[in-house]
Amino acid sequence: MRDLARRIDAATPPGRDRSLDALRALAILGVVLGHWLVTALTVDSGTLRAVSPLSRLPEFTPVSWVFQTLAVFFLVGGRVAATSHAAALTHGTSYRDWLAARLGRLFRPVAVVLAVWAAAALAMTVGGVPWQTVRTLGTLVLSPLWFLLVLAALTAATPLVARVHPLWPLAVVLHVDVIRFGLGGPGWLGWANVAAGWLVPYCLGALWGRHGFRERPVGWILLIMGASATVLLVVLAGYPASMVGVPGAAVSNLNPPTLAAVTFGVTQCGAAFLLVGPLRRTLGRPVVWAAVALLNLGAMTVFLWHQTAMMAVTMLGLLAGGPTGHGPLTGLHTVPDGYDWVLARLAWLPVFGLALLVCVAVFRTYEAGGRRPSRARRPAARKQVRRA
């Protein structure tokens, strides 16, 4: 293990900012754990339905503050895309070739998960599985993909938005919310915030890449200002405290993004900047860096298949119970209405993790480019660390 860690460390270019990989890894883990904690599949009249524990246990709302890490994704995405595009211009690479390379890594594994789930949905429908169950499972798989569509659109627009100051899209979000909430404007206007809201951390990342400012003082400013604004919006303006959607709530902070979600994202960006220094020092250790590098090499696979892993464990639990078995298992497919469910769900997380490792082992090759490295090609495969 230590030998592998040393090889990965040696294969990493000296100028690589490892903190970006660590922030991306933390954001991925946040999304995965967040979905596993706030999504419950319950049995209702022979069908599976998705239920959020936050609708029945609102005291766990702070969980959404820890695991809703999308702003960090866009911060790192803006930094990497702006730097990559600038390097492409320097080397004479065309915009088309640059964009194809960036988006190829996003959508190759997406095509695989869509194909697998299309076949699974067809098989379940033909096999007589209730449509509500098929719809629930499909929604859980497809709903996270909106993030990739927005990230792809912002990546494609990098030459246009890389020099936009984050205050401009923030001003758009502010005006949109004033119109729809303060002046009774149409609800559909909020969808403008899908682009404007996530442009804030994306443009902040691009600004970071262009000017390379000192992260610590900027981090404290963003953390204090973002947290203060978010608290005021929740306490005085009536925005939801949860930073993820809660079924039945009148307003969702994410669907579409609200001003509170954006100021909360600014808070997260500030915290990310404060972590940069400690992360750079910690990632100098080969073993720590190897773990982060390997996670990043399969980041898209983890993101795309983590819901499938959870659902596979849930379905296997139901099948194992059967008509004469143990019945619904607490924390897996029971109503999340008590602390016993929370404790049981925490105990199920390692099982979800093992199922996800199986998915990664099976589908990781598609993120790598479609082929498994043979023994003769393993040194070349290790060079992927350079391109991650």
Side-chain angles (χ1 to χ4, degrees):
M1 181 65 183
R2 290 185 179 275
D3 182 58
L4 174 62
R6 284 193 292 268
R7 291 202 304 270
I8 292 175
D9 185 65
T12 305
R16 186 183 184 90
D17 189 347
R18 301 182 180 189
S19 67
L20 297 178
D21 298 273
L23 290 175
R24 187 189 294 117
L26 289 173
I28 290 169
L29 292 177
V31 169
V32 170
L33 291 174
H35 281 158
W36 286 351
L37 288 171
V38 302
T39 304
L41 289 170
T42 62
V43 181
D44 180 13
S45 302
T47 64
L48 282 179
R49 298 180 184 274
V51 181
S52 172
L54 296 180
S55 60
R56 298 171 181 264
L57 300 169
E59 60 268 33
F60 286 100
T61 293
V63 170
S64 70
W65 307 343
V66 177
F67 296 113
Q68 200 282 79
T69 52
L70 291 174
V72 179
F73 269 116
F74 286 101
L75 175 72
V76 175
R79 163 74 185 266
V80 172
T83 305
S84 171
H85 183 254
L89 291 177
T90 301
H91 292 92
T93 304
S94 69
Y95 168 77
R96 180 178 179 179
D97 291 342
W98 170 81
L99 184 62
R102 300 298 303 178
L103 297 187
R105 294 193 62 186
L106 281 179
F107 290 116
R108 275 194 305 268
V110 170
V112 176
V113 75
L114 291 178
V116 169
W117 268 98
L122 178 61
M124 286 188 287
T125 301
V126 173
V129 175
W131 170 245
Q132 179 61 44
T133 295
V134 177
R135 179 184 177 185
T136 297
L137 298 178
T139 299
L140 289 178
V141 172
L142 296 177
S143 57
L145 299 187
W146 72 262
F147 154 75
L148 296 179
L149 294 176
V150 177
L151 181 60
L154 296 186
T155 300
T158 296
L160 298 176
V161 303
R163 295 185 178 276
V164 173
H165 196 281
L167 287 177
W168 287 108
L170 180 61
V172 172
V173 175
L174 171 63
H175 283 82
V176 166
D177 273 20
V178 167
I179 293 173
R180 63 175 177 145
F181 293 137
L183 302 178
W188 56 260
L189 188 62
W191 293 105
N193 287 349
V194 173
W198 300 118
L199 264 175
V200 175
Y202 192 87
C203 291
L204 183 60
L207 184 66
W208 182 21
R210 292 201 317 273
H211 297 290
F213 46 68
R214 296 174 59 192
E215 292 89 2
R216 189 170 181 81
V218 172
W220 278 115
I221 293 172
L222 294 177
L223 181 67
I224 294 171
M225 294 182 64
S228 300
T230 304
V231 170
L232 290 174
L233 289 170
V234 171
V235 174
L236 300 180
Y239 282 84
S242 174
M243 290 300 150
V244 298
V246 178
V251 177
S252 167
N253 272 322
L254 279 187
N255 192 30
T258 64
L259 181 61
V262 175
T263 57
F264 177 75
V266 170
T267 307
Q268 285 187 318
C269 291
F273 283 136
L274 293 176
L275 284 174
V276 165
L279 286 174
R280 285 171 179 161
R281 292 189 293 272
T282 302
L283 292 170
R285 303 173 185 174
V287 173
V288 179
W289 167 239
V292 171
L294 289 174
L295 176 56
N296 272 275
L297 287 175
M300 280 297 300
T301 306
V302 170
F303 177 79
L304 291 171
W305 290 95
H306 73 278
Q307 293 284 60
T308 299
M310 180 193 70
M311 289 184 285
V313 173
T314 302
M315 297 299 291
L316 287 174
L318 284 174
L319 293 175
T324 60
H326 47 65
L329 295 171
T330 303
L332 194 60
H333 25 65
T334 55
V335 177
D337 56 1
Y339 294 163
D340 57 335
W341 185 93
V342 176
L343 294 175
R345 175 50 64 103
L346 292 174
W348 281 109
L349 294 184
V351 184
F352 296 163
L354 290 174
L356 180 56
L357 286 178
V358 174
C359 292
V360 171
V362 173
F363 297 106
R364 163 71 184 91
T365 181
Y366 297 100
E367 185 173 355
R371 292 187 296 175
R372 295 182 183 275
S374 65
R375 290 180 179 272
R377 291 169 54 234
R378 279 179 184 169
R382 287 197 295 268
K383 292 181 182 178
Q384 292 180 76
V385 175
R386 298 177 181 269
R387 303 193 302 269

